[in-house]
Amino acid sequence: MREEETPAGTGHVVVIGAGIAGLAAAHRLLERGARVTVLEASGRIGGKLLPGEIAGVRVDLGAESMLARRPEAVGLAREAGLAGHLQPPATATASLWTRGALRPMPKGHVMGVPGTAAALSGVLSEEGLARIERDAALPRTEIGDDVAVGAYVAERLGREVVDRLVEPLLGGVYAGDAYRISMRSAVPQLFEAARAHASLTEAVRALQGRTATAPPSGPVFMGIRGGIGTLPLAVARSVRARGGAVVTDAPVTEVRRTAPTGWRVVAGERVLRADAVVLAVPAPAAARLLRAEAPAAAAGLAAVEYASMALVTLAYRRTDAQALPEGSGFLVPPVDGRTIKASTFASRKWGWIAEEDPDLVVLRTSVGRYGETEILGRDDEDLVAVSRHDLKEATGLDAEPVAARVTRWTDGLPQYPVGHHARVARVREHVAALPGLAVCGAAYDGVGIPACIASAYAAVDQIHGDLRAVQQLTAHPVQSLHGGAGE
Ligand SMILES: Cc1cc2nc3c(=O)[nH]c(=O)nc-3n(C[C@H](O)[C@H](O)[C@H](O)COP(=O)(O)OP(=O)(O)OC[C@H]3O[C@@H](n4cnc5c(N)ncnc54)[C@H](O)[C@@H]3O)c2cc1C
């Protein structure tokens, strides 16, 4: 083994994992004056953000859009030099493929939960709409510390709202099951509003009223010319330009504390000394690495479940794709019994993809949800065939694609079941007990890109104080050990 020349006490931080969370942490740490080494297990950086290509057109093969109503992702893109590449979607019109037709996605709801029954007319049956009206007269539903989104909404407004709207919208983010997903973690604003109001539709109207008096400006989502997958590449370039190291093919197998302070990180032949460690890896990997030093945190993380999915990207000649309707794509409620769960018309949604080759139309479908294993066991050809079958049923598109590619995301999305926030709080408590250790990424405070970046910044804030203490200890070892070097 090779012990690297990274003496402890110099503010050296090892970040494990070069997904967007790890890279955001590295970026912020360098701003704060730390020395940073990012170790990535695989041969490429970016994790779930993956730029690719089909029929000569650049596309995203992983995440493709970022919420712009929160500042973190757009802010990081700007800091990494991508300000001129930010691009909002060309269309915000989406559909639901339900009850045998493509229907305009209703407006006036919070994650599928409407403020009035009328908001969902056209999507729900007459009985479904009538059931929503009963909410106002029902006694309060106790939700305690947390509740499954599906169970609560079904009790207040009926199952049809959950099955036709909440489920596909939540499924689009978590690939999960609305009847398991935590309302507190997945839709916190709705959880708070629901605690304050007896009626759920009233709670939604209160939320909508707040937005109406202070309407947020700018697009809700943002893309990046060339793909969201270029974001981690740009952040890594910026990290390297500031003197940080980003090392690929470096799977970390061991993280141990050293005396009196600091950490020892083993990645194959490399052994690094660090003053602090940021673990920015998925929960199962974090559990393995924490087993020795933080067994209780490791146990909490080992219990986090993941959903797998696959994306099927298809390219058609424009002349063959006339059947494709307007809009950015559609979601499919599981209750409708189709195989695909969504389709994004990438060339319609993103101007930059349309411009790459105006004679091509690129779209993608997604398959696989939490607990659905059969579909992902099928081979690529089969996944392309079922996607084409469903696309034909939904839109009439029956042409032969000029190219197709399947991208599998095994264990791609952590699940946030009821009680997730409490589990995360316990994990963080155990981790915080070890000075110079922090965790971040999709398993904690939200799976979306801005939430992952926010968790990275929180991890940096957490170890910042520990780092300063270590630096003082190194500068004035005797004083500091006796507590005499306070600022
Ligand atoms: C198919 C798909 C589509 C999505 N679409 C969107 C979207 O459009 N918008 C959005 O906001 N979010 C989207 N998400 C969610 C979002 O992309 C992810 O939650 C987020 O990118 C996760 O970032 P992360 O840094 O936490 O983890 P990851 O991206 O998983 O990165 C973790 C990194 O750690 C590395 N690693 C693991 N073990 C070790 C080890 N022992 N040593 C060193 N390195 C290790 C991994 O190789 C990986 O590179 C999507 C997710 C998926 C799967």
Side-chain angles (χ1 to χ4, degrees), residues 16-22 39-42 44-49 61-67 173 250-253 280-282 285 288-289 309 311 364 409 412-414 440-443 446-450 452:
I16 305 174
I20 196 60
L39 297 176
E40 164 57 42
S42 73
R44 69 166 185 90
I45 58 173
K48 308 301 185 298
L49 276 55
L61 299 175
E64 50 106 44
S65 167
M66 51 196 193
L67 189 64
V173 181
V252 173
T253 49
V281 296
R288 280 193 293 278
L289 294 176
M309 58 191 289
L311 298 176
R364 78 183 198 184
W409 292 102
L413 284 161
C440 62
V447 301
I449 296 165
C452 293

Side-chain angles (χ1 to χ4, degrees), residues 246-259:
V246 183
V247 187
T248 52
D249 295 308
V252 173
T253 49
E254 202 180 306
V255 176
R256 297 307 298 258
R257 294 175 84 186
T258 53

Side-chain angles (χ1 to χ4, degrees), residues 183-448:
M183 183 150 100
R184 181 169 179 160
S185 295
V187 209
Q189 73 281 31
L190 196 60
F191 180 74
E192 288 309 325
R195 283 228 275 212
H197 297 264
S199 145
L200 178 56
T201 44
E202 193 185 303
V204 169
R205 287 197 301 277
L207 278 176
Q208 291 167 334
R210 239 185 279 160
T211 345
T213 45
S217 58
V220 182
F221 291 101
M222 197 61 94
I224 297 176
R225 181 178 289 278
I228 291 287
T230 62
L231 176 61
L233 303 176
V235 179
R237 264 197 309 277
S238 177
V239 163
R240 285 177 172 135
R242 291 163 186 227
V246 183
V247 187
T248 52
D249 295 308
V252 173
T253 49
E254 202 180 306
V255 176
R256 297 307 298 258
R257 294 175 84 186
T258 53
T261 62
W263 295 84
R264 182 173 176 271
V265 178
V266 180
E269 286 297 297
R270 280 191 190 84
V271 180
L272 275 76
R273 295 286 311 279
D275 298 304
V277 172
V278 176
L279 267 166
V281 296
R288 280 193 293 278
L289 294 176
L290 288 175
R291 207 169 285 146
E293 298 290 354
L301 287 164
V304 177
E305 293 184 294
Y306 278 72
S308 299
M309 58 191 289
L311 298 176
V312 179
T313 309
L314 301 161
Y316 294 85
R317 274 184 221 299
R318 183 163 292 277
T319 45
D320 293 343
Q322 311 280 2
L324 209 61
E326 292 304 312
S328 62
F330 60 87
L331 294 174
V332 193
V335 72
D336 283 279
R338 312 290 182 173
T339 308
I340 64 171
K341 56 177 198 173
S343 178
T344 304
F345 306 158
S347 301
R348 293 261 166 78
K349 184 170 178 184
W350 303 113
W352 65 268
I353 296 185
E355 286 161 20
E356 291 264 310
D357 184 344
D359 292 329
L360 277 189
V361 169
V362 178
L363 54 92
R364 78 183 198 184
T365 67
S366 54
V367 295
R369 293 183 176 91
Y370 175 78
E372 262 184 25
T373 45
E374 187 276 329
I375 181 72
L376 296 173
R378 302 198 201 169
D379 63 21
D380 287 5
E381 236 172 68
D382 233 23
L383 293 185
V384 172
V386 294
S387 292
R388 290 185 56 198
H389 171 272
D390 277 5
L391 280 168
K392 182 180 167 201
E393 295 268 301
T395 69
L397 177 64
D398 193 18
E400 188 74 31
V402 292
R405 63 183 296 178
V406 175
T407 315
R408 290 172 191 270
W409 292 102
T410 305
D411 295 337
L413 284 161
Q415 299 299 291
Y416 285 18
V418 173
H420 176 80
H421 74 286
R423 175 186 283 159
V424 166
R426 283 194 299 275
V427 167
R428 283 225 169 90
E429 206 176 282
H430 293 299
V431 167
L434 301 176
L437 180 68
V439 290
C440 62
Y444 303 92
D445 313 313
V447 301

Side-chain angles (χ1 to χ4, degrees), residues 44-96:
R44 69 166 185 90
I45 58 173
K48 308 301 185 298
L49 276 55
L50 172 62
E53 170 271 325
I54 186 162
V57 168
R58 289 180 299 169
V59 287
D60 273 308
L61 299 175
E64 50 106 44
S65 167
M66 51 196 193
L67 189 64
R69 286 280 158 86
R70 296 180 54 150
E72 299 89 351
V74 171
L76 182 63
R78 291 204 171 99
E79 286 171 33
L82 295 177
H85 295 249
L86 290 169
Q87 194 181 84
T91 167
T93 329
S95 306
L96 264 182

